[in-house]
Amino acid sequence: QKETKEVRAFTEAQFERLVREVRNGIFPERDYFADLAIIAWWTGLRLGDICCLEWAGVKETELIVWTEKRDKRVKIPIQEPLYGSGIVYETLSNLEMMDATYVWPKLKAERDSVNTKSNQSAFFARDLCERRLGERLELEEFIGLSFHCFRHSFIQRLNRSGVPMEKIKKIVGHTSSRTTEGYLACAA
């Protein structure tokens, strides 16, 4: 993916503030964004992959996720400290099961719709980060952040924790180390 603008990562404080504000009702019509943010923060998954998450892939020790870009299923060991030591499983376990297959059936349907494929990302960046957090709460550091910034945060956190570059590349599914290194060069 070729980045055309400055790409940033969420800081831990921004991540925690975003989850807290969404849970406190700043975006009631999309209150599930808090859960999506938790999953993205601890796994580095893209929004599209999270939208397609199936209940059958939610295990206590791992998530098995179909990734659109890799076009295959991947296993994420969610009990390891780098993956939140169970926070992802706890978050998913607390959700109401509205569909036998997908964790977020409405998001999956929106994702599959030609007309609304990128709406979730736009709602997150424009409506939550920019308008609700940035303008309404006057938290300027949220302006310009997108959902994909969680992926950058995850990769940077792995790097700071001493995970070798080749392992990070494999974890996030990059075929080139240059792609992974690009994630480390973004502003935190």
Side-chain angles (χ1 to χ4, degrees):
Q1 148 182 338
K2 188 84 171 167
E3 302 290 349
T4 56
K5 60 181 181 176
E6 179 191 21
V7 178
R8 297 171 38 207
F10 280 91
T11 64
E12 187 169 357
Q14 288 171 322
F15 160 68
E16 291 171 353
R17 179 77 187 260
L18 181 141
V19 170
R20 185 173 58 252
E21 293 297 343
V22 172
R23 290 225 164 111
N24 286 338
I26 194 159
F27 204 179
E29 60 274 29
R30 299 206 179 264
D31 60 354
Y32 53 83
F33 273 160
D35 299 318
L36 299 178
I38 291 167
I39 293 166
W41 174 262
W42 288 110
T43 66
L45 286 171
R46 295 175 186 90
L47 180 58
D49 299 334
I50 295 172
C51 289
C52 299
L53 184 60
E54 298 176 5
W55 285 114
V58 178
K59 312 289 182 201
E60 191 169 350
T61 58
E62 65 187 8
L63 278 185
I64 302 168
V65 184
W66 179 264
T67 61
E68 199 172 57
K69 273 203 164 179
R70 289 191 248 178
D71 197 28
K72 67 177 183 178
R73 294 200 184 280
V74 295
K75 292 181 181 181
I76 301 171
I78 58 175
Q79 286 296 334
E80 293 183 15
L82 287 174
Y83 296 94
S85 298
I87 293 170
V88 170
Y89 181 74
E90 178 184 331
T91 298
L92 292 167
S93 296
N94 288 329
L95 296 177
E96 179 183 341
M97 187 183 268
M98 295 181 275
D99 181 82
T101 304
Y102 295 102
V103 176
W104 287 284
K106 182 180 175 190
L107 294 181
K108 170 68 169 127
E110 285 181 10
R111 182 80 185 149
D112 291 345
S113 170
V114 176
N115 297 327
T116 61
K117 190 162 184 155
S118 63
N119 276 358
Q120 291 301 326
S121 188
F123 284 135
F124 185 88
R126 184 192 62 231
D127 295 343
L128 175 59
C129 289
E130 187 172 324
R131 293 183 183 155
R132 310 232 179 180
L133 294 169
E135 294 171 5
R136 189 183 303 169
L137 294 183
E138 298 179 356
L139 299 170
E140 291 183 16
E141 72 268 19
F142 284 94
I143 296 175
L145 289 172
S146 68
F147 197 88
H148 198 73
C149 294
F150 286 119
R151 188 164 172 83
H152 290 261
S153 304
F154 177 72
I155 291 169
Q156 289 180 7
R157 205 169 54 253
L158 292 178
N159 184 60
R160 282 193 308 272
S161 297
V163 177
M165 184 63 63
E166 280 302 308
K167 185 172 181 179
I168 296 172
K169 181 182 109 176
K170 183 179 178 190
I171 288 169
V172 297
H174 292 157
T175 54
S176 165
S177 294
R178 289 185 63 197
T179 303
T180 310
E181 290 165 3
Y183 277 73
L184 298 175
C186 74

